[in-house]
Amino acid sequence: RPGDKRLVAYVVAAGEPAAAVAAVAGEDLRGFLSERLPAYMVPAAFVFLDAFPLTPNGKVDRRALPAPQADNSDFLPPRTRLELELAGIWEELLDLRPIGVRDNFFALGGHSLLAVRLLTRIEERYGRTLPLTELFRGGTIEELAQALTRVTSTPSSSPLVPLRATGTRPPLFLVHPVGGGALVYRELAELLGPEQPVYGFQARGLESGEEPIPEIEEMARIYLEAVRIVQPQGPYALAGWSFGGLVAFAMARQLEDVGESARLILLDTQAPGLVPAPEVDDAVALALFAAEAGLPWEEPETLATPTKDEPLARLATLAERAQLLPRGAGEAHLRRRLAVFKTHGEAARRYVPGFYGGRLTLLRAGELATPEAAAWVERHPDYGWGAHAPAVDLQILAGGHFTLLREPSVASLAELLRGLLA
């Protein structure tokens, strides 16, 4: 896998087939070597062979040795904010990515010293001490997240989610879309490269016990407080997709009011007021969640309201199957998501953006859903932002509004953003 720096051992057992030895000997070998070698020299993976590949002159052909086979059928990416944060800690400590929530810490090359460092980092970040036995008992991100949830249900006070906390460049701050989740930017953050720190925002209301923030200006103020902890002084790089662009615009204006500057990038965000915004009822919120997550779903007008729970249950099942929600917690989580959608939708309806005197870049989706949409864009090529900024730097992106952050469009977006940030 890209970025894989594991130490791998290749093993041939005399007189025994590789498959039979692999089934019983892997952990025995790891334990045997752990007693005799420094921790950093214990292989992270063992590959069992019937025979070593040889060159024509009879030497071991190292280039022909097979790479360790990852079981991608069981690979699960982080699905919640807590799992994403834990994955970031693991990736930094193990110098390995991507890491799935069911990958085993020790199978990836973790050892006792790294285990202590891991639990220390968890204690520093969450203020909770987990016994080392928790890691040895399960050894996965999924189980650690469950253990932390059992210890405390108090949500993190910061809305920032570090999608990539390392790198030498000034950080990029990405504001969530209307659904409130930062995970939509995870693939983009990876494609921006190892030198670009990237932080996303998670909206209030997604975690149990929280209430959504009802006004965009208040959201911007709270988010800037978190930004200044990571980056005390500007210039800042702010971006947001769709609804997130409105919040990023408000943040840039608030920075301007206190003499700071921002590089503002809007990802297919329309200025408020050009088109009357529809009221966001339960049916519209369900359809928006499905579209934002890339799930197939009916048009809003064909959806019954979820008061009888049946449409909600169906969408929760779809989201769990697509690994967008934790299994078993779909409906409860989805109810909070719907509340966030509706609150943010109403906030967008009320928002009056004002004027921003700095640099504004609009990255607009090139694929439009209908001829009517194409005609509207022809009349409003800058999405109405020319009335709110001295100039709009307009660039057209591959993909449509709901596919900008997914392959193949996200690769083009990442390339363009790298140039803009440079």
Side-chain angles (χ1 to χ4, degrees):
R1 294 183 290 184
D4 196 336
K5 298 181 180 180
R6 292 177 296 172
L7 182 63
V8 178
Y10 292 87
V11 184
V12 172
E16 296 287 344
V21 178
V24 297
E27 290 308 308
D28 289 343
L29 269 176
R30 191 187 309 278
F32 176 84
L33 294 174
S34 296
E35 296 173 357
R36 292 162 175 78
L37 295 173
Y40 69 90
M41 293 183 66
V42 177
F46 294 85
V47 178
F48 293 86
L49 304 171
D50 290 321
F52 289 118
L54 302 177
T55 63
N57 59 6
K59 295 183 179 180
V60 174
D61 187 352
R62 295 176 180 270
R63 293 174 180 248
L65 290 170
Q69 294 298 308
D71 186 6
N72 290 326
S73 63
D74 290 331
F75 180 84
L76 285 179
R79 302 152 297 180
T80 66
R81 174 180 179 169
L82 180 56
E83 287 181 352
L84 184 67
E85 291 174 344
L86 290 173
I89 295 173
W90 283 38
E91 288 171 354
E92 181 180 347
L93 290 177
L94 295 169
D95 194 19
L96 180 67
R97 59 175 53 86
I99 294 177
V101 298
R102 292 179 182 166
D103 288 344
N104 185 277
F105 181 79
F106 300 100
L108 294 175
H111 47 76
S112 57
L113 292 178
L114 274 180
V116 173
R117 288 178 60 192
L118 170 63
L119 296 180
T120 301
R121 291 284 300 278
I122 289 174
E123 183 176 0
E124 290 171 349
R125 186 176 188 91
Y126 302 105
R128 293 295 185 274
T129 302
L130 289 179
L132 196 58
T133 53
E134 285 286 358
L135 186 59
F136 283 97
R137 181 182 297 121
T140 68
I141 290 170
E142 185 177 58
E143 289 167 302
L144 272 186
Q146 291 171 357
L148 278 171
T149 303
R150 288 193 299 270
V151 170
T152 176
S153 59
T154 303
S156 171
S157 59
S158 174
L160 275 180
V161 176
L163 301 172
R164 184 190 296 279
T166 58
T168 59
R169 296 173 182 165
L172 171 65
F173 298 95
L174 294 166
V175 185
H176 57 76
V178 68
L183 299 184
V184 294
Y185 295 119
R186 189 171 189 270
E187 191 169 1
L188 175 62
E190 287 293 324
L191 291 172
L192 287 173
E195 294 306 310
Q196 179 61 63
V198 183
Y199 292 84
F201 291 93
Q202 173 163 295
R204 284 187 188 172
L206 294 182
E207 303 286 353
S208 178
E210 295 179 339
E211 292 296 327
I213 301 172
E215 301 295 339
I216 284 178
E217 293 289 353
E218 176 69 3
M219 207 177 299
R221 183 188 65 77
I222 292 171
Y223 291 179
L224 283 176
E225 289 176 355
V227 165
R228 288 191 179 97
I229 293 174
V230 174
Q231 185 184 349
Q233 294 180 323
Y236 298 93
L238 306 174
W241 171 46
S242 195
F243 172 85
L246 301 181
V247 183
F249 185 89
M251 293 169 68
R253 287 195 71 229
Q254 291 183 17
L255 286 170
E256 187 178 46
D257 288 343
V258 295
E260 290 278 12
S261 62
R263 182 74 169 86
L264 177 61
I265 303 172
L266 308 183
L267 307 180
D268 210 49
T269 301
Q270 294 181 10
L274 285 180
V275 177
E279 293 187 11
V280 183
D281 59 14
D282 288 339
V284 172
L286 276 170
L288 283 173
F289 172 81
E292 191 176 284
L295 294 170
W297 202 247
E298 298 92 338
E299 292 298 317
E301 57 267 20
T302 68
L303 263 178
T305 55
T307 53
K308 297 180 181 179
D309 290 340
E310 194 270 336
L312 187 66
R314 272 195 296 150
L315 186 55
T317 300
L318 280 174
E320 287 182 4
R321 287 176 183 169
Q323 301 169 15
L324 296 163
L325 294 178
R327 190 166 298 279
E331 285 195 51
H333 184 89
L334 191 53
R335 287 189 187 282
R336 294 196 294 272
R337 290 294 290 266
L338 290 179
V340 169
F341 267 101
K342 292 162 68 175
T343 302
H344 290 174
E346 292 303 315
R349 282 164 53 86
R350 293 189 296 269
Y351 179 53
V352 179
F355 192 85
Y356 172 60
R359 184 179 180 187
L360 187 155
T361 298
L362 172 65
L363 305 185
R364 204 184 72 196
E367 297 177 10
L368 301 170
T370 64
E372 292 77 16
W376 184 91
V377 169
E378 188 173 353
R379 295 193 303 272
H380 307 282
D382 64 358
Y383 279 3
W385 288 110
H388 303 282
V392 177
D393 174 20
L394 173 63
Q395 301 197 41
I396 310 301
L397 293 168
H401 180 77
F402 288 109
T403 61
L404 290 181
L405 297 174
R406 297 197 293 273
E407 286 289 3
S409 302
V410 67
S412 300
L413 172 58
E415 182 178 2
L416 184 54
L417 280 176
R418 282 197 298 269
L420 291 173
L421 295 172

